[in-house]
Structures are given as structure tokens and as C-alpha cells.
Amino acid sequence: MRMRNLYRKPTTLRCNAGSRCYSASAVIWSLLGCLLLFHLYSNIHHKHGEGREVQLHVTNHPQFRELQQVEEEIIQLPPQKGKRSPRAAKRRHKRVTPLVDEFLDEDSRLRHVFFPGNKSAIDPVKVTGNDSYYYYPGRIWLDTDRNPIQAHGGGILFDERSNTYYWYGEYKDGLTYRAHKRGAARVDIIGVGCYSSKDLWTWKNEGIVLAAEEMNGTHDLYKTNVLERPKVIFNEKTRKYVMWMHIDDGNYTKAAVGIAISDTPDGPFEYVGSQRPHGYESRDMTVFKDEDGVAYLIYSSEENNVLHIGPMTEDYLNLMPVMRRVFVGQRREAPAVFKHQGTYYMITSGCTGWAPNEALAHAAESILGPWETLGNPCVGGNKMFRIATFLAQSTFVLPLPGFSGSFIFMADRWNPSDLRDSRYVWLPLMVEGPTHHSPEYSSRLPLWSRVSIYWHRKWRLPQGWSTF
């Protein structure tokens, strides 16, 4: 009975004693406070839930769902009759698939499939209406002057000051030749081409923003040397546009990076000089500018057996001493780095010269690593197509603002018999879906979202898409 009275006292709310009234009031105010906090939490949670619904809606945009529908590619390889071309015959000892071997044969009867002719060129000036804004991977792509775009091995900068995209790449509109019998196919340096666009489909030629050196044979940019994979980033502190590129001699023994600067995105760029980063060889390379403004150089080194990653100085004209070695012994090149929801991703290719090979996707919580290999990101086509990265090689991954987890995968379909006729393969890349590990790779590192590059013969960005 006494215990029941003790339990009843707080609920009777009698105020005969001041202390009891104060205690009861505290209870009431505590309850009201809890109700208020619960109400606020519900509102915040509701708003957060709405945000998640919007994000989910973006991820499940109808046209993006269409892009995730796999397209199959049936390529009937012709029977081998007679002798193949001399270059194809020399490649027989290498480990290439029949599709890649056919692709590399300049006398192949499927040449028109790999490199469609002028009649099917993408011509933004001519195309109107519902046929506008479609990408056709592997076709000739014309600029607004109706000339083939020359921006190979390139990358894209979005310039916030002008609300314009700038596409920089190797201008290869020259004769393909070999410096010696065992030398790789090459074109003399002409320079870095630059194109501008508001919609990522219609490109205006802004000219050669970094030109070759015609007279001085000791200059890094002398025409018989090598300039590859130019990338440009903007430095907010110095207000300079900074270009990094692979610089080499004709025999690929210099193995360095070159740097150039400009006051405007459309140049001209002034060449600053070259260096071996961190004292190491550098061949295929890219740059990545993080959200905090720190920029990084990522480059193939040590005879292409290791990838190196290191931060730049604040002015983007040099490198800090910090450097990490990743993918040791895996022989990866053509790195393309991007970021999604705090996680760093990278697409790389193997080292097989101009021949296409299997791409791999990688992920890391820090850009300096450790990096985990996720496996082949290619979806669609057919097995031979996927393990050859749709007959292309990675060069850049461009985020699509407003569509979280959606990117454009930019790659080059090299034509080693006529490098100026190399083509562009742009495809939708998405980071989403269930986390997974590739069965080919085991690790105790965190699980990652799926990275997928979807093959399409014809595709376009969602209608009404705009950066602005």
C-alpha cells in the first residue's frame, strides 16, 4: 500500500508543498520539451527524407534508366583468308582477342564498323530537332566549322567565370609514321587543341592554344617530340589556368611532365618547362582537383609498372614531396580520376600500346590510397567488346552537375594506322547500386558502390539538362 502511494504522488500534482509543486512543474516542462524536440526532429527527418526522395528521383530519372538498359553488340568476325597485313601478323604472338586483332588490322573487312565513314559523322550544325544532342561512340565528330574535332587524350574544364566547357586534347591532324621499324606509330607535335561548348555536344574550335616549336630542336615542344594527354585546371589563388601534359622524346625515353599557364581558358598558354615528377619517369598521366582546392598529379611510372600519386604546390606549378605508389606491378596507365560522395574512383587501362584492352575501376577513401580494384566496369556490348573497353582507352571522367552519381566516361578509340582519324567514345558512367567486390579481387577494405560504363550505339543526356 505504501508503495502504491509513492507511485501516485507524482501523478496527483498536488501543490501543498512547494517542493512537490516545483517537481511536478519540472516534469511537465520536461515533457513539453521532449515533445518539442520530437516535433523538431520529425520536421528535420521529414525534410531529410524529402531530400533523399529527390536524390532517388534524380538517380532514377527515366532517361538514365533507359541508359542502364544494356545494348548488345553482335560482330561477326570474318574468316581468316590468306595473309593478314604485316602489322597484324607481327601482333599474333601477343595476347589479344580475335576482335582486337581484327580491329588492329587496317585491311580488315570490318574497318567500316570500327571507324564509320564521313556520311555518318556527327554534325551539330546540320542536325536539328529530335535528332539533336545524340552521341554516337566511334563516329567522326565535327565542330561548328564542320571539321573533325582534334582533341585526343584530352580532358574537360568547366570555367565558372564564363559558364563554358573547354575541351583540351592532342591536335593530331598530321601524317602518321614510325620513327624507326620498332617505333610506335606517331604524329609530329602540332599542339594542344581547344574547343568550347555550352551543351557538351556543339563544339567551337578555339584554335591551338599551345603550339609546337618548329625551329629549336632542343625545345620540349619541338615537333618530332611527344606531347600527350593535356589536362587543364584553374587556380583560384593565382587566377591562372594551368596545363599539365606528358612530354617525351621520339623514343619515349625522356618520360617527363610539362607545365604551361594562361590567363584565359582559350589561351594562348605559355610553356613553363618540364620535370620528372618526384625524380621518377612519367608517361600516361592526369590531374585531379579536389573540392578543397588541392590538385594532384597521377602518373604511370617505373616502366609503367606502378602508378604514382602526389599533391601539387598551391600554385599548381610544382609538386609537394609527398608521393604514394599504387597498383604496384599491375602495369596500369591512362588514369581518369573522379569523386562521388566522398569516395575517390579511378578508371585505368592496361599497357598494350595503341591496342585496346580491359579497363579496371578502382576506389579509395583517400586519393593517396590505399586503392582497391573493383573489376571491369563495362556493361553491354558483348564479352569481347567489354574486355576491350569498347575498343577504346580511358582519358577523362566528367561529372554531370545536378545528377548525383552520373558522369560521362571519355575515351579514345585509337587508329594506329592513321592517328588523326582516331575517334571519341563517350558513354554514360554511373556510380550506384549495391556495394560489391569483384570476385577476381579480395580485400579487407570497405565495400564500394558499383561503377558501371554502359555501352550504347546512340545516346544523349536527359532532355532539358543544363549546367547552369
Side-chain angles (χ1 to χ4, degrees):
M1 190 71 179
R2 192 174 178 182
M3 292 295 293
R4 284 198 297 271
N5 287 337
L6 286 172
Y7 279 109
R8 285 175 185 167
K9 283 181 181 179
T11 61
T12 59
L13 301 180
R14 287 180 293 187
C15 295
N16 292 334
S19 61
R20 286 182 182 176
C21 185
Y22 177 80
S23 176
S25 299
V27 170
I28 292 171
W29 284 111
S30 297
L31 288 171
L32 289 173
C34 289
L35 288 172
L36 180 61
L37 288 172
F38 179 77
H39 179 69
L40 289 171
Y41 171 77
S42 298
N43 285 339
I44 293 170
H45 182 70
H46 179 66
K47 289 179 180 179
H48 180 63
E50 288 179 345
R52 292 185 63 177
E53 288 174 2
V54 170
Q55 186 67 48
L56 186 64
H57 174 72
V58 168
T59 303
N60 290 292
H61 189 287
Q63 283 184 269
F64 278 114
R65 286 202 302 271
E66 290 178 10
L67 295 178
Q68 291 174 297
Q69 295 176 2
V70 174
E71 285 191 26
E72 296 299 326
E73 196 74 42
I74 300 175
I75 299 176
Q76 296 290 340
L77 297 179
Q80 293 187 15
K81 294 182 179 180
K83 294 183 178 180
R84 308 298 298 273
S85 70
R87 292 177 190 172
K90 290 180 181 179
R91 288 189 295 267
R92 282 179 180 170
H93 70 282
K94 296 183 178 180
R95 294 182 179 179
V96 296
T97 65
L99 177 64
V100 172
D101 189 53
E102 191 71 32
F103 169 79
L104 293 172
D105 183 4
E106 53 266 38
D107 297 327
S108 169
R109 281 176 278 176
L110 295 179
R111 197 70 176 167
H112 67 286
V113 176
F114 305 136
F115 298 97
N118 292 324
K119 291 183 179 180
S120 64
I122 306 169
D123 188 348
V125 174
K126 183 179 179 181
V127 176
T128 58
N130 292 332
D131 292 330
S132 299
Y133 301 105
Y134 276 104
Y135 299 103
Y136 294 86
R139 291 192 185 183
I140 296 171
W141 194 350
L142 305 181
D143 61 23
T144 54
D145 294 326
R146 306 188 75 180
N147 295 315
I149 294 172
Q150 291 288 338
H152 308 284
I156 288 181
L157 166 77
F158 176 67
D159 182 48
E160 295 181 356
R161 298 199 290 183
S162 60
N163 282 337
T164 303
Y165 288 97
Y166 288 90
W167 181 5
Y168 305 89
E170 305 160 32
Y171 202 93
K172 286 188 173 296
D173 195 17
L175 179 68
T176 299
Y177 70 96
R178 295 173 184 268
H180 49 83
K181 288 184 178 180
R182 295 187 179 182
R186 55 158 294 130
V187 171
D188 280 347
I189 296 177
I190 297 174
V192 176
C194 175
Y195 297 81
S196 63
S197 176
K198 296 287 188 179
D199 58 18
L200 293 174
W201 188 70
T202 306
W203 293 95
K204 175 187 175 184
N205 186 359
E206 299 289 350
I208 295 174
V209 295
L210 180 67
E213 169 59 45
E214 295 287 339
M215 304 301 293
N216 184 0
T218 63
H219 198 284
D220 285 343
L221 302 183
Y222 186 62
K223 58 184 180 181
T224 58
N225 287 333
V226 172
L227 186 164
E228 295 176 338
R229 298 188 174 271
K231 305 293 186 293
V232 176
I233 48 178
F234 178 66
N235 189 300
E236 281 82 4
K237 293 182 178 180
T238 64
R239 314 303 291 176
K240 298 286 186 182
Y241 296 86
V242 184
M243 179 188 295
W244 286 67
M245 69 212 86
H246 170 207
I247 291 294
D248 229 316
D249 55 31
N251 295 317
Y252 284 86
T253 59
K254 185 178 179 69
V257 289
I259 302 124
I261 58 173
S262 176
D263 293 325
T264 58
D266 55 355
F269 281 77
E270 177 187 354
Y271 190 70
V272 176
S274 65
Q275 61 174 281
R276 278 196 166 183
H278 308 108
Y280 285 89
E281 296 176 340
S282 173
R283 291 188 172 89
D284 274 14
M285 46 68 63
T286 192
V287 299
F288 176 76
K289 181 181 174 181
D290 212 340
E291 297 156 337
D292 59 4
V294 178
Y296 297 83
L297 176 69
I298 303 96
Y299 59 100
S300 296
S301 191
E302 302 178 47
E303 299 294 330
N304 285 346
N305 286 303
V306 183
L307 218 61
H308 289 185
I309 304 175
M312 298 181 189
T313 53
E314 286 191 359
D315 58 8
Y316 300 170
L317 299 180
N318 214 322
L319 293 167
M320 302 291 286
V322 178
M323 185 270 285
R324 295 290 184 271
R325 301 169 70 243
V326 300
F327 311 139
V328 176
Q330 296 183 33
R331 294 189 61 77
R332 307 305 297 173
E333 66 176 11
V337 179
F338 57 105
K339 189 178 183 180
H340 175 58
Q341 294 184 346
T343 298
Y344 299 87
Y345 295 92
M346 189 189 310
I347 306 293
T348 64
S349 83
C351 298
T352 54
W354 298 114
N357 57 66
E358 185 176 23
L360 291 177
H362 318 270
E365 292 181 316
S366 164
I367 193 170
L368 295 178
W371 285 82
E372 181 182 8
T373 298
L374 306 180
N376 187 338
C378 298
V379 180
N382 58 51
K383 182 177 180 181
M384 286 193 295
F385 219 37
R386 289 191 294 274
I387 63 175
T389 317
F390 312 121
L391 301 175
Q393 184 183 40
S394 52
T395 184
F396 198 75
V397 174
L398 178 69
L400 292 177
F403 295 97
S404 178
S406 299
F407 304 80
I408 296 178
F409 171 71
M410 296 170 53
D412 294 280
R413 180 174 291 176
W414 299 113
N415 183 351
S417 64
D418 187 9
L419 286 169
R420 70 178 136 200
D421 191 36
S422 297
R423 308 296 175 84
Y424 309 104
V425 174
W426 286 23
L427 291 168
L429 181 153
M430 300 185 192
V431 182
E432 62 173 354
T435 56
H436 78 295
H437 281 295
S438 168
E440 301 177 42
Y441 302 93
S442 60
S443 174
R444 288 173 287 183
L445 294 171
L447 295 173
W448 312 100
S449 294
R450 187 179 304 276
V451 177
S452 303
I453 301 170
Y454 294 94
W455 168 252
H456 291 276
R457 290 182 291 274
K458 173 184 177 180
W459 71 283
R460 65 179 173 183
L461 298 172
Q463 289 182 342
W465 173 85
S466 175
T467 299
F468 319 118

